[in-house]
Amino acid sequence: MANSNQFGLSCALALPLAGSFAIDFARLVAQAERCLASGCSSVTVFGTTGEGASISLAEREQILAALSQTGIQMDQVIGGVTASSVGDAIAQARLVIDKG
């Protein structure tokens, strides 16, 4: 069901890492689902907790794919843009926009 309240509470997700320092996608998805089930209107990924500059474009794409593949509606996901160059910022924004 699409979320019509885009300006409600959005929970900033901390990026969970596995022992190998790889992104723990299962924990990330579980965290997002828990927040949405608890009444948050959306979840925010990519940097509101400070790690945004350390997440590659490929990792951002993997995160969005992991969230969407579990049934989370992409209009419930807000993607942060954290870049020191205009080109990188544009690429990050386009990725989020293209994923919905």
Side-chain angles (χ1 to χ4, degrees):
M1 178 172 153
N3 182 2
S4 63
N5 184 6
Q6 295 179 357
F7 299 102
L9 177 64
S10 186
C11 181
L13 300 180
L15 186 66
L17 300 176
S20 62
F21 299 107
I23 297 170
D24 187 332
F25 294 103
R27 283 181 38 210
L28 180 70
V29 168
Q31 181 182 14
E33 290 174 331
R34 187 172 45 254
C35 291
L36 294 169
S38 296
C40 291
S41 299
S42 61
V43 293
T44 304
V45 293
F46 313 142
T48 56
T49 57
E51 76 277 359
S54 301
I55 303 171
S56 72
L57 194 60
E59 290 169 324
R60 289 166 185 264
E61 190 166 12
Q62 292 170 340
I63 288 168
L64 292 173
L67 293 170
S68 68
Q69 289 170 359
T70 62
I72 293 174
Q73 300 298 311
M74 294 313 292
D75 66 351
Q76 293 180 291
V77 178
I78 297 172
V81 174
T82 309
S84 57
S85 74
V86 173
D88 288 346
I90 291 169
Q92 290 175 19
R94 280 190 179 142
L95 175 65
V96 173
I97 291 167
D98 289 347
K99 296 295 181 182

